[in-house]
Amino acid sequence: MSFLCLGINHRTAHVDLRERLAFAEKDVELALQQFRDVDSVNEVVLVSTCNRVELYVGLENPNEGVEKALLDRMSIMRDVDCHHGGHFYSMRNADAAKHLFEVVAGLDSMVLGETEIFGQVKESYRRALEGGSTGRQLNKIFQASFSVGKRLRSRTGIQRGATSIGSVAVELAERIFGDLKKSGVMILGAGEMSRVTAKSLVSRGAKSVVVSNRSYDRAVELAEEMHGEAIRFDDWQKRAVDMDVIVSSTSAPHHVVTKADMIEIRKKRHGRPLFLIDIAVPRDIDPDVNDLDEIYLYDIDALESLAAEARFAREAQIAECRVLIEKELRQRLNGVIDVGNDE
Amino acid sequence: MLYYLIFAARSVNSQTYHLFMPLTIDQLLLLVSTLLFAGNFGLVLWMVKTNRYRDSRVGLLVVSFGFVVQMALLWVRGEAHGRCPITNSGEVLVFLAWAMIIWYLLFGSSYRLSLLGMCTMPLVVLLQVLAMLPGVYQTLPSEPVKQVSAVVELHAATAIMAYGAFGLAAVAAGMFLLQNRHLKLHQTSPTFFVLPPITKLFTTLMRLLIIGVLLLAVSLGVSYLAPTPVPGDKLAIGYAVLILYVLLLGCRKVLGISQSAMAWIVMGLFVLAAGSIGFMTV
């Protein structure tokens, strides 16, 4: 019995190649059948996401030529020559299992520690399990990988902190308000950055969106996209009283939101906190606004610095994660695969 | 089991007793509960520092067990006195710590306030360590009192429960100020990610203040039904504390004083109120 991982990812192949090799959901079942027909192949799980296409294979014997046979099959299925360019990597036994554990934990992702991959691998495994493409070996290895993935996320800081401007904004909003389901979001200036940031907040359940822009038509357009309400730019102060988050990204050369504006707005809010996100350059919101109680102002530099800090903190966790993976591998897969031969 | 322990402790020869158990049963219970609360604090602090923190039942179990031991202690002392065990400063301190744990168990679980336990424990441990000090901790009386006034007992117990609520409000205020500082200065730390949202903390703080004020008002109201009048100095202190908290709530409502100012004042007021604990004995 031998365990093999064969695949490409965002580090070894350009998106042009990855999109040609990717398998649509409807094609997976047939592909699994075809890979299983390869000599020595007992079990197969196919993981196909935007950043990777990987085959995890349980082999009857350590057939040295199986990689070539699988690549031949892949080349035919995807109409791509998979042998050239050195894009595919291949690992066996402990190395392959370690790689799977790292993938599930988000250590091999483009955004280090991201959690989406966990669900994607779980879904790929579920499909293979239901299609009868897995057996004792792959079941044990994949179940172990999910337990290890969960353990790494809870025991280390690998997923701690937000690593993009949008997710930092969401994280801060949640540190202020908790659940965003009761929060209203106002967008000042209908630029791309404010759209992306507001979308992140809406995706976490923000109750309402109000868009205000100097060009009312553009405000209407963005409001429709966000299922929100467009208002005239002169009315933003009045409506800000009921909002919880204001995302500002106008192209104004001066401060659009002054301390005097905020003092007036704050008086009418009965002590409710207000989160201001200024992603404009030059800045839209007077930095002195942050001196006011219950008002939390973050500009683009503050958000970017928090994202960078989180990225750095996650990178610092890699070594600890690898030690844990090594330990878990020996504990969970001893007897399932050869955990010592590939050290 | 408790009866067995007491029986065993009382029945052994005094010399052997002191050799194997240098502490009396109530002192032992006080020490164990203090160690459990300190252990919970240490455990959660270590989890936060090593990025391992998550709301686990283990911490809650440790506190709950400490709470049961604390109840046993109050029960042993209550039985010995034949009345509510708030007859000296040491007992009042333990009762106050017990009240804070009750409020923590109620609020911490209802509002899922992570780290409220960790932040409450140092104060609880401090109160119990102070209670252990020689001169503060009194030995058990040889005989229980003959007459007990239920009204006076109720008056003192509700007052201490009110102080417990004020104490936990002060803890929530401290947590609020820490998270507020993180957010204002754009700083993160391991605690930033595990402290509750400031809005939730402030809501909890306000609710605890209101509960404390109501209980203290009930306590002072009940005192007028006592068969013998409650001493004037005790009542005056009770009223002073009540008025200060009511004024604070009024200032928030009418003048709209800021959340951070409220949090600072709540912490300061509790320090003042805690200074009057010695007057709360019956």
Side-chain angles (χ1 to χ4, degrees):
Chain A
M1 295 253 284
S2 186
F3 174 55
L4 165 73
C5 166
L6 181 68
I8 58 158
N9 66 17
H10 57 95
R11 274 193 275 271
T12 65
H14 192 260
V15 65
D16 292 341
L17 179 60
R18 295 203 309 272
E19 65 191 11
R20 286 170 68 195
L21 288 170
F23 286 83
E25 210 180 305
K26 61 181 174 50
D27 300 332
V28 171
E29 200 182 330
L30 182 66
L32 289 171
Q33 272 173 21
Q34 296 201 11
F35 287 124
R36 254 174 34 221
D37 289 342
V38 172
D39 189 33
S40 310
V41 171
N42 269 349
E43 310 166 47
V44 187
V45 172
L46 170 61
V47 177
S48 179
T49 71
C50 50
N51 281 331
R52 69 186 65 248
V53 177
E54 287 177 336
L55 283 173
Y56 291 93
V57 186
L59 298 168
E60 213 170 80
N61 52 58
N63 178 346
E64 293 302 324
V66 75
E67 285 92 342
K68 184 181 174 305
L70 286 166
L71 287 180
D72 285 343
R73 198 57 62 98
M74 178 89 82
S75 301
I76 295 165
M77 273 191 266
R78 309 318 293 161
D79 195 19
V80 175
D81 181 0
C82 297
H83 292 284
H84 291 102
H87 301 296
F88 275 83
Y89 44 81
S90 160
M91 285 163 260
R92 290 225 178 194
N93 298 323
D95 284 341
K98 254 183 252 172
H99 176 74
L100 174 63
F101 287 9
E102 289 190 3
V103 168
V104 171
L107 293 184
D108 198 48
S109 296
M110 195 179 264
V111 177
L112 185 64
E114 57 102 359
T115 52
E116 204 182 345
I117 187 68
F118 186 92
Q120 288 170 326
V121 175
K122 215 166 184 182
E123 183 58 23
S124 305
Y125 167 67
R126 188 191 60 77
R127 242 182 253 134
L129 181 73
E130 285 174 3
S133 292
T134 63
R136 183 181 164 273
Q137 190 184 25
L138 285 198
N139 287 341
K140 285 211 165 174
I141 295 171
F142 273 84
Q143 295 297 349
S145 77
F146 300 137
S147 305
V148 173
K150 278 184 200 160
R151 186 161 261 222
L152 284 178
R153 288 179 202 287
S154 63
R155 290 271 177 99
T156 71
I158 194 65
Q159 64 168 30
R160 173 159 291 174
T163 53
S164 67
I165 301 287
S167 51
V168 169
V170 168
E171 183 157 70
L172 290 168
E174 286 177 343
R175 292 290 113 208
I176 297 169
F177 304 106
D179 196 344
L180 295 186
K181 282 180 185 143
K182 288 179 188 161
S183 303
V185 178
M186 174 179 272
I187 304 172
L188 287 180
E192 179 58 17
M193 279 296 277
S194 46
R195 191 183 70 86
V196 171
T197 310
K199 265 201 157 174
S200 301
L201 293 162
V202 170
S203 72
R204 293 300 279 263
K207 181 184 70 178
S208 59
V209 178
V210 170
V211 184
S212 184
N213 193 55
R214 289 212 190 269
S215 149
Y216 184 67
D217 291 345
R218 182 75 192 98
V220 171
E221 209 176 290
L222 183 58
E224 274 172 11
E225 189 190 329
M226 313 282 287
H227 305 290
E229 178 195 353
I231 58 165
R232 302 270 170 201
F233 198 72
D234 294 340
D235 292 336
W236 79 263
Q237 283 105 329
K238 259 187 262 165
R239 294 300 300 275
V241 173
D242 303 320
M243 294 291 126
D244 300 291
V245 183
I246 298 179
V247 183
S248 187
S249 162
T250 75
S251 48
H254 52 78
H255 292 152
V256 173
V257 180
T258 63
K259 194 170 181 179
D261 288 331
M262 273 302 137
I263 289 171
E264 281 309 304
I265 290 168
R266 187 182 167 271
K267 272 185 203 161
K268 295 172 190 160
R269 292 178 57 81
H270 306 292
R272 279 184 305 125
L274 180 61
F275 179 29
L276 301 177
I277 304 168
D278 184 357
I279 39 184
V281 178
R283 285 178 291 182
D284 280 344
I285 306 175
D286 183 350
D288 290 345
V289 160
N290 197 41
D291 298 339
L292 299 171
D293 278 322
E294 291 126 20
I295 291 181
Y296 303 94
L297 169 63
Y298 282 73
D299 62 22
I300 186 83
D301 279 1
L303 295 170
E304 184 45 56
S305 130
L306 287 175
E309 205 178 290
R311 285 195 293 270
F312 180 74
R314 286 185 182 195
E315 276 161 23
Q317 296 289 311
I318 293 177
E320 192 186 338
C321 287
R322 293 213 162 113
V323 171
L324 269 172
I325 283 177
E326 192 76 43
K327 193 176 142 204
E328 294 281 339
L329 185 78
R330 283 168 199 283
Q331 278 176 2
R332 291 171 188 270
L333 296 183
N334 195 13
V336 180
I337 54 169
D338 180 359
V339 293
N341 292 348
D342 294 304
E343 281 176 48
Chain B
M1 190 186 163
L2 201 58
Y3 270 117
Y4 171 76
L5 281 172
I6 296 166
F7 178 75
R10 281 178 181 166
S11 54
V12 287
N13 159 301
S14 149
Q15 236 180 349
T16 323
Y17 170 80
H18 285 294
L19 185 65
F20 290 104
M21 198 187 260
L23 301 171
T24 57
I25 190 73
D26 58 316
Q27 286 171 330
L28 184 68
L29 290 170
L30 178 56
L31 182 68
V32 170
S33 67
T34 308
L35 289 175
L36 283 166
F37 297 139
N40 171 271
F41 172 68
L43 175 75
V44 180
L45 190 67
W46 173 77
M47 284 163 88
V48 171
K49 285 205 159 184
T50 54
N51 287 320
R52 286 176 168 86
Y53 180 77
R54 56 187 167 152
D55 269 333
S56 73
R57 286 174 198 274
V58 182
L60 194 62
L61 265 175
V62 175
V63 177
S64 304
F65 188 53
F67 177 68
V68 171
V69 177
Q70 208 181 28
M71 290 253 278
L73 159 68
L74 290 172
W75 184 77
V76 167
R77 291 197 70 94
E79 283 287 295
H81 283 298
R83 63 196 293 185
C84 191
I86 36 181
T87 61
N88 56 63
S89 302
E91 285 177 345
V92 170
L93 287 167
V94 176
F95 207 119
L96 181 60
W98 176 82
M100 283 185 65
I101 297 287
I102 276 207
W103 292 123
Y104 157 67
L105 290 174
L106 286 173
F107 275 79
S109 51
S110 321
Y111 295 98
R112 295 182 180 278
L113 291 169
S114 57
L115 294 197
L116 183 63
M118 189 194 89
C119 298
T120 306
M121 290 315 129
L123 189 50
V124 167
V125 170
L126 175 72
L127 291 172
Q128 297 207 160
V129 167
L130 285 176
M132 280 182 216
L133 292 178
V136 179
Y137 199 81
Q138 310 281 314
T139 50
L140 287 171
S142 50
E143 275 188 25
V145 290
K146 294 207 166 58
Q147 268 194 327
V148 179
S149 161
V151 172
V152 175
E153 304 282 299
L154 181 66
H155 155 70
T158 45
I160 293 179
M161 290 297 285
Y163 274 53
F166 294 145
L168 200 63
V171 171
M175 291 166 75
F176 172 90
L177 289 169
L178 180 63
Q179 193 68 319
N180 189 57
R181 183 184 156 80
H182 281 138
L183 285 163
K184 277 285 185 191
L185 300 181
H186 307 160
Q187 288 172 342
T188 58
S189 72
T191 46
F192 173 74
F193 296 103
V194 285
L195 274 170
I198 49 164
T199 309
K200 225 172 177 181
L201 280 170
F202 193 75
T203 306
T204 303
L205 179 159
M206 291 298 285
R207 285 185 183 162
L208 283 164
L209 284 190
I210 291 166
I211 288 171
V213 162
L214 291 176
L215 281 172
L216 193 54
V218 167
S219 166
L220 292 168
V222 160
S223 69
Y224 291 103
L225 304 175
T228 49
V230 174
D233 53 348
K234 287 185 183 181
L235 277 183
I237 287 168
Y239 275 112
V241 171
L242 180 68
I243 288 166
L244 284 173
Y245 277 107
V246 169
L247 273 177
L248 179 62
L249 288 173
C251 284
R252 169 73 186 162
K253 185 80 183 161
V254 180
L255 304 175
I257 63 167
S258 72
Q259 293 184 345
S260 49
M262 273 292 282
W264 280 114
I265 297 170
V266 165
M267 292 207 321
L269 269 185
F270 180 68
V271 172
L272 274 182
S276 66
I277 277 172
F279 288 90
M280 293 166 78
T281 53
V282 290

